[in-house]
Amino acid sequence: MTQQTPLIPRPAPEFPDWRERARCADLPVAAVFSRTVTEARPVLRACNACPVIETCLRTVDPANTWFDGVCGGRLWSNGREVPLS
């Protein structure tokens, strides 16, 4: 059996990946990529105090990638912001 190369290389330990510092890093993946406000609420709350919120928005670029889930403190569905109220 051959070992597969990861698609996204991990950074050197002395340079942690921005995703490891995200407040949502330890939350369930299903909540991060949820399309409903109810399921996404814990992630949206975590975004309020996230140190990498701007990096998240720039990197994921939800409006141009048709992203589904929480990014930058907002819920997105097919790259469009979902109203929270």
Side-chain angles (χ1 to χ4, degrees):
M1 183 185 257
T2 61
Q3 185 177 4
Q4 293 183 352
T5 304
L7 296 177
I8 301 173
R10 301 297 299 165
E14 64 271 17
F15 299 107
D17 189 302
W18 67 270
R19 293 169 292 186
E20 293 173 3
R21 294 183 295 130
R23 298 283 181 189
C24 64
D26 294 328
L27 296 176
V29 174
V32 175
F33 293 102
S34 172
R35 287 186 177 190
T36 67
V37 175
T38 303
E39 290 177 3
R41 188 117 10 237
V43 183
L44 292 166
R45 278 193 299 267
C47 287
N48 289 330
C50 188
V52 295
I53 194 167
E54 293 301 322
T55 303
C56 178
L57 273 172
R58 277 192 316 272
T59 305
V60 175
D61 193 16
N64 292 311
T65 60
W66 292 58
F67 180 78
D68 288 332
V70 178
C71 177
R74 302 178 202 147
L75 180 60
W76 302 85
S77 179
N78 293 323
R80 293 189 176 170
E81 194 171 342
V82 175
L84 299 179
S85 53

